[in-house]
Amino acid sequence: MKLVYAIVRTDNEDDVIAELAKNHFGITKLSTTGGFLKKGNTTLLIGTEDDQVDQVIDIIKKECGQRQKITVNVPYMSGAAMVNYGTMPMTVEIGGATIFVTDVDRFEKI
Ligand code: 2BA
């Protein structure tokens, strides 16, 4: 058995969850925050059999769409510490999903 962690944009979560649920996958949704942009995103935990992992990833791919470039203002500090704080524009890629697949040693519902 595997546990899939999928970090998706909050905009995409409803579509991904609906399609996974339609295909009878169990899902837990966590409200999370990206460490870089400090914006809300959604982490889905999906426990599934090994031979269904590709189907899970295909659904996530289809519902999350292509990655796209956006420009965001990220904080920076210049000069002496604690003196000059500001933001600077930076282009980052968002969208799609970040997926980790891990082995599950034991799974029980009690
Ligand atoms: P954030 O950490 O808020 O990152 C948002 C986007 O900013 C990233 O998109 C990436 O394009 C860019 N980015 C992140 N760290 C960067 C850095 N140190 N320098 C320059 N640009 C950077 P994604 O790669 O699609 O990641 C989307 C979200 O997935 C991340 O949100 C984070 O919550 C999660 N994530 C991505 N990689 C991860 C990893 N290796 N471990 C755990 N979570 C991860």
Side-chain angles (χ1 to χ4, degrees), residues 7 33-38 41 67 90 92-95 98 100:
I7 303 164
T33 304
F36 188 67
L37 295 181
K38 312 272 189 298
N41 53 26
R67 292 172 68 77
M90 184 173 172
V92 296
E93 278 199 337
I94 60 160
T98 300
F100 301 88

Side-chain angles (χ1 to χ4, degrees), residues 45-87:
L45 308 185
I46 305 131
T48 189
E49 297 308 325
D50 293 25
D51 62 357
Q52 291 188 298
V53 168
D54 286 343
Q55 189 187 354
V56 168
I57 292 175
D58 286 347
I59 290 171
I60 296 168
K61 258 189 206 159
K62 186 176 126 234
E63 299 302 330
C64 289
Q66 300 288 313
R67 292 172 68 77
Q68 47 187 272
K69 290 189 173 161
I70 60 160
T71 301
V72 291
N73 288 314
V74 295
Y76 78 100
M77 194 179 70
S78 67
M82 311 297 287
V83 176
N84 296 314
Y85 282 96
T87 60

